[in-house]
Coordinates of all heavy atoms in Angstrom, one line a residue:
K1042 N 95.2 73.4 107.1 CA 96.6 73.5 106.7 C 97.2 74.7 107.4 O 96.6 75.7 107.7 CB 96.7 73.7 105.2 CG 97.8 72.9 104.6 CD 97.8 72.9 103.1 CE 97.5 71.6 102.6 NZ 97.6 71.5 101.1
L1043 N 98.5 74.5 107.6 CA 99.3 75.6 108.3 C 100.6 75.8 107.5 O 101.2 74.8 107.0 CB 99.7 75.1 109.7 CG 100.7 76.1 110.4 CD1 100.0 77.4 110.8 CD2 101.2 75.4 111.7
Y1044 N 100.9 77.1 107.3 CA 102.1 77.5 106.6 C 102.8 78.4 107.5 O 102.3 79.4 108.0 CB 101.8 78.2 105.3 CG 100.9 77.5 104.3 CD1 99.5 77.7 104.3 CD2 101.4 76.6 103.4 CE1 98.7 77.0 103.4 CE2 100.6 75.9 102.5 CZ 99.3 76.1 102.5 OH 98.5 75.4 101.7
V1045 N 104.1 78.1 107.8 CA 105.0 79.1 108.5 C 106.1 79.5 107.6 O 106.8 78.6 107.0 CB 105.5 78.4 109.8 CG1 106.4 79.4 110.5 CG2 104.4 77.9 110.7
I1046 N 106.2 80.8 107.4 CA 107.1 81.3 106.4 C 108.3 82.0 107.0 O 108.1 83.0 107.8 CB 106.4 82.3 105.4 CG1 105.2 81.6 104.8 CG2 107.3 82.9 104.4 CD1 104.3 82.6 104.0
N1047 N 109.5 81.5 106.7 CA 110.7 82.1 107.2 C 111.5 82.6 106.0 O 112.1 81.7 105.3 CB 111.5 81.1 108.0 CG 112.8 81.6 108.6 OD1 113.1 82.8 108.5 ND2 113.6 80.7 109.1
D1048 N 111.5 83.9 105.7 CA 112.0 84.4 104.5 C 111.4 83.7 103.3 O 110.2 83.9 103.1 CB 113.6 84.3 104.4 CG 114.2 85.1 105.5 OD1 113.7 86.2 105.7 OD2 115.3 84.7 106.0
S1049 N 112.1 82.9 102.5 CA 111.4 82.2 101.4 C 111.1 80.8 101.7 O 110.6 80.1 100.8 CB 112.3 82.3 100.1 OG 113.6 81.7 100.4
S1050 N 111.5 80.3 102.8 CA 111.2 78.9 103.2 C 109.8 78.8 103.8 O 109.5 79.6 104.7 CB 112.3 78.4 104.2 OG 113.5 78.3 103.7
V1051 N 109.1 77.8 103.4 CA 107.7 77.6 103.9 C 107.6 76.2 104.4 O 107.8 75.2 103.7 CB 106.7 77.8 102.7 CG1 105.3 77.6 103.3 CG2 106.8 79.2 102.1
W1052 N 107.3 76.1 105.7 CA 106.9 74.8 106.4 C 105.4 74.6 106.2 O 104.6 75.5 106.7 CB 107.3 74.8 107.8 CG 106.8 73.7 108.6 CD1 106.7 72.3 108.2 CD2 106.3 73.7 109.9 NE1 106.2 71.6 109.2 CE2 105.9 72.3 110.3 CE3 106.1 74.7 110.9 CZ2 105.3 72.0 111.5 CZ3 105.5 74.3 112.1 CH2 105.2 73.0 112.4
T1053 N 105.0 73.6 105.6 CA 103.6 73.2 105.4 C 103.3 72.0 106.3 O 104.0 71.0 106.3 CB 103.3 72.9 103.9 OG1 103.7 74.0 103.1 CG2 101.9 72.6 103.7
S1054 N 102.2 72.1 107.0 CA 101.8 71.0 107.8 C 100.2 70.9 107.9 O 99.5 71.9 107.5 CB 102.3 71.0 109.2 OG 101.7 72.1 109.9
V1055 N 99.8 69.8 108.3 CA 98.3 69.6 108.6 C 98.2 69.6 110.1 O 98.6 68.6 110.8 CB 97.8 68.3 108.0 CG1 96.4 68.0 108.4 CG2 98.0 68.2 106.5
P1056 N 97.6 70.7 110.6 CA 97.5 70.8 112.1 C 96.4 69.8 112.6 O 95.5 69.5 111.9 CB 97.1 72.2 112.3 CG 96.4 72.6 111.1 CD 97.0 71.8 110.0
H1057 N 96.6 69.4 113.9 CA 95.7 68.5 114.5 C 94.8 69.3 115.5 O 95.4 70.1 116.3 CB 96.4 67.4 115.3 CG 97.3 66.6 114.4 ND1 96.8 65.6 113.6 CD2 98.6 66.6 114.2 CE1 97.8 65.1 112.9 NE2 98.9 65.7 113.2
E1058 N 93.5 69.1 115.5 CA 92.7 69.9 116.4 C 93.1 69.6 117.8 O 93.4 68.5 118.2 CB 91.2 69.5 116.1 CG 90.3 70.4 116.9 CD 88.8 70.1 116.6 OE1 88.5 69.5 115.6 OE2 88.0 70.6 117.4
Y1059 N 93.1 70.7 118.6 CA 93.5 70.6 120.0 C 92.3 71.0 120.8 O 91.7 72.1 120.6 CB 94.7 71.6 120.2 CG 95.1 71.6 121.7 CD1 96.0 70.6 122.2 CD2 94.7 72.6 122.5 CE1 96.4 70.6 123.5 CE2 95.1 72.6 123.9 CZ 96.0 71.6 124.3 OH 96.4 71.6 125.6
T1060 N 91.8 70.1 121.7 CA 90.7 70.4 122.5 C 91.1 70.3 124.0 O 91.9 69.6 124.4 CB 89.5 69.5 122.2 OG1 90.0 68.1 122.5 CG2 89.0 69.6 120.8
S1061 N 90.4 71.2 124.8 CA 90.6 71.2 126.2 C 89.4 71.8 126.8 O 88.7 72.7 126.3 CB 91.9 72.0 126.5 OG 91.9 72.3 127.9
L1062 N 89.1 71.4 128.0 CA 88.0 72.0 128.8 C 88.2 73.4 129.1 O 87.3 74.2 129.4 CB 87.8 71.2 130.1 CG 87.3 69.8 129.9 CD1 87.2 69.1 131.3 CD2 86.0 69.7 129.3
Y1063 N 89.5 73.9 129.1 CA 89.9 75.2 129.4 C 89.8 76.2 128.2 O 90.0 77.4 128.4 CB 91.2 75.2 130.1 CG 91.3 74.3 131.3 CD1 91.9 73.1 131.3 CD2 90.6 74.7 132.5 CE1 91.9 72.3 132.4 CE2 90.6 73.9 133.6 CZ 91.3 72.7 133.5 OH 91.3 71.8 134.6
L1064 N 89.6 75.7 127.0 CA 89.6 76.6 125.9 C 88.2 77.1 125.7 O 87.2 76.4 125.8 CB 89.9 75.8 124.6 CG 91.4 75.4 124.4 CD1 91.6 74.6 123.2 CD2 92.2 76.7 124.3
P1065 N 88.1 78.4 125.5 CA 86.7 79.0 125.3 C 86.1 78.5 123.9 O 86.9 78.2 123.0 CB 87.0 80.5 125.3 CG 88.4 80.6 124.9 CD 89.1 79.4 125.4
A1066 N 84.8 78.5 123.9 CA 84.1 78.0 122.7 C 84.3 78.9 121.5 O 84.1 78.5 120.3 CB 82.6 77.8 123.0
Y1067 N 84.7 80.2 121.7 CA 84.9 81.1 120.6 C 86.3 80.9 119.9 O 86.7 81.7 119.1 CB 84.7 82.6 121.0 CG 85.7 83.1 122.1 CD1 86.9 83.6 121.8 CD2 85.3 83.0 123.4 CE1 87.7 84.1 122.8 CE2 86.1 83.5 124.4 CZ 87.4 84.0 124.1 OH 88.2 84.5 125.1
K1068 N 87.1 79.9 120.3 CA 88.4 79.6 119.7 C 88.4 78.2 119.2 O 88.0 77.3 119.8 CB 89.5 79.7 120.7 CG 89.9 81.1 121.1 CD 91.1 81.1 122.0 CE 91.5 82.5 122.4 NZ 92.8 82.5 123.2
L1069 N 88.9 78.1 117.9 CA 89.1 76.8 117.3 C 90.6 76.7 117.3 O 91.3 77.5 116.7 CB 88.6 76.7 115.9 CG 88.9 75.5 115.1 CD1 88.3 74.2 115.8 CD2 88.4 75.6 113.7
T1070 N 91.2 75.7 118.0 CA 92.6 75.6 118.2 C 93.2 74.3 117.6 O 92.5 73.3 117.6 CB 92.9 75.6 119.7 OG1 92.4 76.8 120.2 CG2 94.4 75.6 120.0
A1071 N 94.4 74.4 117.0 CA 95.0 73.3 116.4 C 96.5 73.4 116.7 O 97.1 74.4 117.1 CB 94.8 73.3 114.9
L1072 N 97.2 72.2 116.5 CA 98.6 72.1 116.9 C 99.3 71.4 115.8 O 98.9 70.4 115.3 CB 98.7 71.3 118.2 CG 100.0 71.1 118.8 CD1 100.6 72.4 119.4 CD2 99.9 70.0 119.9
S1073 N 100.5 71.9 115.4 CA 101.4 71.3 114.5 C 102.7 71.1 115.2 O 103.3 72.0 115.7 CB 101.6 72.1 113.2 OG 100.5 71.9 112.3
T1074 N 103.3 69.9 115.1 CA 104.6 69.6 115.7 C 105.5 69.1 114.6 O 105.1 69.0 113.4 CB 104.4 68.5 116.8 OG1 103.9 67.4 116.2 CG2 103.5 69.0 117.9
E1075 N 106.7 68.8 115.0 CA 107.7 68.2 114.0 C 108.1 69.2 113.0 O 108.3 68.8 111.8 CB 107.2 66.9 113.4 CG 106.9 65.8 114.4 CD 108.1 65.3 115.1 OE1 109.2 65.2 114.5 OE2 108.0 65.1 116.3
G1076 N 108.1 70.5 113.3 CA 108.5 71.5 112.3 C 110.0 71.6 112.2 O 110.7 70.8 112.8
P1077 N 110.5 72.5 111.4 CA 111.9 72.7 111.2 C 112.6 73.2 112.4 O 112.0 73.8 113.3 CB 112.0 73.7 110.0 CG 110.7 74.4 110.1 CD 109.7 73.5 110.7
E1078 N 113.9 73.0 112.5 CA 114.7 73.5 113.6 C 115.3 74.9 113.3 O 116.5 75.1 113.3 CB 115.8 72.5 114.0 CG 115.2 71.2 114.5 CD 116.2 70.2 115.0 OE1 116.9 70.5 116.0 OE2 116.4 69.2 114.4
W1079 N 114.4 75.8 113.0 CA 114.8 77.2 112.8 C 115.3 77.8 114.1 O 114.9 77.4 115.1 CB 113.7 78.0 112.2 CG 113.3 77.6 110.7 CD1 114.2 77.0 109.8 CD2 112.1 77.8 110.1 NE1 113.5 76.9 108.6 CE2 112.2 77.3 108.8 CE3 110.8 78.3 110.5 CZ2 111.2 77.3 107.8 CZ3 109.8 78.3 109.6 CH2 110.0 77.8 108.3
A1080 N 116.0 78.9 113.9 CA 116.6 79.6 115.1 C 115.4 80.1 116.0 O 114.3 80.4 115.5 CB 117.5 80.7 114.6
I1081 N 115.7 80.3 117.2 CA 114.8 81.0 118.1 C 115.0 82.5 118.0 O 116.0 83.0 117.5 CB 114.9 80.5 119.6 CG1 116.4 80.8 120.1 CG2 114.6 79.0 119.7 CD1 116.5 80.6 121.6
D1082 N 114.0 83.2 118.5 CA 114.0 84.7 118.5 C 114.1 85.3 117.1 O 114.6 86.4 117.0 CB 115.2 85.2 119.4 CG 115.0 84.9 120.9 OD1 113.9 84.8 121.3 OD2 116.1 84.6 121.5
I1083 N 113.6 84.6 116.2 CA 113.4 85.2 114.8 C 111.9 85.4 114.6 O 111.1 84.8 115.4 CB 114.0 84.3 113.7 CG1 113.2 82.9 113.6 CG2 115.5 84.1 113.9 CD1 113.6 82.1 112.4
Y1084 N 111.5 86.2 113.6 CA 110.1 86.5 113.4 C 109.8 85.8 112.0 O 110.5 86.0 111.0 CB 109.9 88.0 113.4 CG 110.0 88.5 114.8 CD1 111.2 88.9 115.3 CD2 108.9 88.7 115.5 CE1 111.3 89.3 116.6 CE2 109.0 89.1 116.8 CZ 110.2 89.5 117.4 OH 110.3 89.9 118.7
V1085 N 108.6 85.1 112.0 CA 108.1 84.4 110.9 C 106.7 84.9 110.6 O 106.0 85.5 111.5 CB 108.2 82.9 111.0 CG1 109.7 82.5 111.1 CG2 107.4 82.4 112.3
N1086 N 106.1 84.5 109.5 CA 104.7 84.8 109.2 C 104.0 83.4 109.2 O 104.5 82.4 108.7 CB 104.6 85.4 107.8 CG 105.3 86.8 107.8 OD1 105.2 87.6 108.7 ND2 106.1 87.0 106.7
V1087 N 102.8 83.5 109.8 CA 102.0 82.3 109.9 C 100.7 82.4 109.1 O 100.0 83.5 109.2 CB 101.6 82.0 111.4 CG1 100.8 80.8 111.5 CG2 102.9 81.9 112.2
I1088 N 100.4 81.4 108.3 CA 99.1 81.4 107.5 C 98.4 80.1 107.8 O 99.0 79.1 107.7 CB 99.4 81.6 106.0 CG1 100.1 83.0 105.8 CG2 98.2 81.5 105.2 CD1 100.6 83.2 104.4
A1089 N 97.1 80.2 108.0 CA 96.3 79.0 108.2 C 95.2 78.9 107.1 O 94.7 80.0 106.7 CB 95.6 79.0 109.6
E1090 N 95.0 77.7 106.6 CA 93.9 77.5 105.7 C 92.7 77.1 106.5 O 92.8 76.1 107.3 CB 94.3 76.4 104.7 CG 93.2 76.0 103.7 CD 93.6 74.8 102.8 OE1 93.5 73.7 103.3 OE2 94.0 75.1 101.7
V1091 N 91.6 77.8 106.3 CA 90.4 77.5 107.0 C 89.4 77.0 106.0 O 89.2 77.6 104.9 CB 89.8 78.8 107.7 CG1 88.5 78.5 108.4 CG2 90.9 79.4 108.6
T1092 N 88.7 75.9 106.3 CA 87.8 75.3 105.4 C 86.4 75.2 106.0 O 86.3 74.8 107.2 CB 88.2 73.8 105.0 OG1 89.5 73.9 104.5 CG2 87.3 73.2 104.1
D1093 N 85.4 75.7 105.2 CA 84.0 75.6 105.6 C 83.5 74.2 105.1 O 83.4 74.1 103.9 CB 83.2 76.8 105.1 CG 81.8 76.8 105.5 OD1 81.2 75.7 105.8 OD2 81.2 77.9 105.4

Side-chain angles (χ1 to χ4, degrees):
K1042 220 172 248 186
L1043 173 71
Y1044 305 95
V1045 180
I1046 303 171
N1047 180 9
D1048 294 324
S1049 64
S1050 294
V1051 181
W1052 169 41
T1053 304
S1054 71
V1055 176
H1057 302 282
E1058 187 174 343
Y1059 179 83
T1060 57
S1061 168
L1062 294 175
Y1063 303 105
L1064 287 174
Y1067 62 87
K1068 287 186 178 186
L1069 174 63
T1070 302
L1072 182 70
S1073 281
T1074 59
E1075 299 296 321
E1078 294 187 67
W1079 288 334
I1081 57 168
D1082 295 326
I1083 63 168
Y1084 290 84
V1085 296
N1086 297 315
V1087 179
I1088 298 174
E1090 179 185 80
V1091 180
T1092 302
D1093 183 337

